[in-house]
């Protein structure tokens, strides 16, 4: 697809069943994400990449501590096409939900330099990092699509997933199915 990139948010062991901050049915995003990658010339990803001590862990159980197994991509995710991984949540006080807060590279300029105007967002979790990344991308002027079959929510409160989709729509993000990509 021309001028488009697939952006895989935080598909890491700690967010999968059995992980430190398991997203219910989080593993179900992997097969559709593997399939989708073939359609894109540019595939990018983010990782939640926390220090061992951070204010973020006052809100959440410790997860995705940089360099640990929990922060790794799962074996079942095809990573051979991922051209760059953006590391976020790297500070001791910020949540870093949005991939545009990555500290190893600037995502906005990375995309703009390469002429990317459309961003297809998939991964975990719908109500946190997918939400923050998709809304920020729309604010930054990208045409943003979230593929609903390839995202899953934490749902700390029942309904958080629906609220997240609503918020994305209000911000101009289009929610589409796998077949619509
Ligand atoms: C996330 C909660 C805490 C996410 C990261 O990737 O959506 N959620 N840290
Ligand atoms: Zn986190």
């Amino acid at each position: 697809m021309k001028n488009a990139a697939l952006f895989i948010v935080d598909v890491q062991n700690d967010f999968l069943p059995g992980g430190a901050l398991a997203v219910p049915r989080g593993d179900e995003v992997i097969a559709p994400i593997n399939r989708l990658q073939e359609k894109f010339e540019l595939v990018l990803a983010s990782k939640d990449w926390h220090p061992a001590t951070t204010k973020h862990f006052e809100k959440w159980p410790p997860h995705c501590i940089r360099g640990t197994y929990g922060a790794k991509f799962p074996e079942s995710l095809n990573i051979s096409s991922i051209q760059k991984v953006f590391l976020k949540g790297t500070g001791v006080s910020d949540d870093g939900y949005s991939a545009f807060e990555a500290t190893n590279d600037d995502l906005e300029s990375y995309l703009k330099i390469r002429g990317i105007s459309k961003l297809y967002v998939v991964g975990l979790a719908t109500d946190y990092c997918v939400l923050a990344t998709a809304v920020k991308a729309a604010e930054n002027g990208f045409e943003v699509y979230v593929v609903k079959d390839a995202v899953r929510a934490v749902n700390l409160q029942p309904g958080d997933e629906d609220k997240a989709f609503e918020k994305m729509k209000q911000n101009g993000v289009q929610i589409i199915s796998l077949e619509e990509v």
Side-chain angles (χ1 to χ4, degrees):
M1 215 184 302
K2 251 191 116 30
N3 305 321
L6 182 68
F7 197 90
I8 306 168
V9 176
D10 299 7
V11 178
Q12 292 166 269
N13 289 322
D14 270 344
F15 292 126
L16 299 175
L21 180 41
V23 176
R25 303 193 295 140
D27 53 328
E28 292 178 4
V29 305
I30 296 171
I33 290 173
N34 285 345
R35 267 182 54 197
L36 273 175
Q37 293 191 47
E38 298 161 16
K39 299 194 180 224
F40 292 86
E41 280 163 40
L42 183 60
V43 179
L44 304 170
S46 64
K47 274 187 170 179
D48 216 24
W49 197 248
H50 298 305
T53 310
T54 160
K55 283 220 169 91
H56 185 62
F57 294 162
E58 292 168 12
K59 299 177 200 161
W60 300 102
H63 61 277
C64 298
I65 295 170
R66 51 190 182 218
T68 65
Y69 172 80
K72 285 195 156 73
F73 292 126
E75 289 287 338
S76 51
L77 181 69
N78 176 15
I79 57 167
S80 60
S81 303
I82 298 174
Q83 288 177 42
K84 171 114 193 157
V85 180
F86 292 83
L87 304 174
K88 58 182 191 57
T90 60
V92 294
S93 56
D94 60 308
D95 289 308
Y97 291 135
S98 161
F100 288 90
E101 292 175 52
T103 54
N104 62 319
D105 204 338
D106 184 62
L107 177 55
E108 185 182 5
S109 39
Y110 184 98
L111 296 170
K112 289 191 171 162
I113 286 164
R114 287 163 180 79
I116 299 298
S117 55
K118 296 178 194 163
L119 204 61
Y120 288 74
V121 182
V122 294
L124 304 170
T126 312
D127 37 0
Y128 292 93
C129 292
V130 169
L131 170 65
T133 300
V135 166
K136 192 69 198 176
E139 279 174 18
N140 285 342
F142 296 95
E143 203 175 299
V144 189
Y145 300 89
V146 167
V147 184
K148 60 176 185 277
D149 312 274
V151 295
R152 290 292 181 274
V154 182
N155 277 323
L156 276 187
Q157 307 292 332
D160 281 357
E161 179 178 41
D162 292 338
K163 277 189 198 156
F165 282 133
E166 260 326 296
K167 207 164 185 177
M168 289 190 254
K169 285 186 210 162
Q170 282 164 12
N171 283 276
V173 175
Q174 300 182 60
I175 312 300
I176 60 171
S177 68
L178 206 52
E179 288 68 35
E180 292 175 281
V181 178

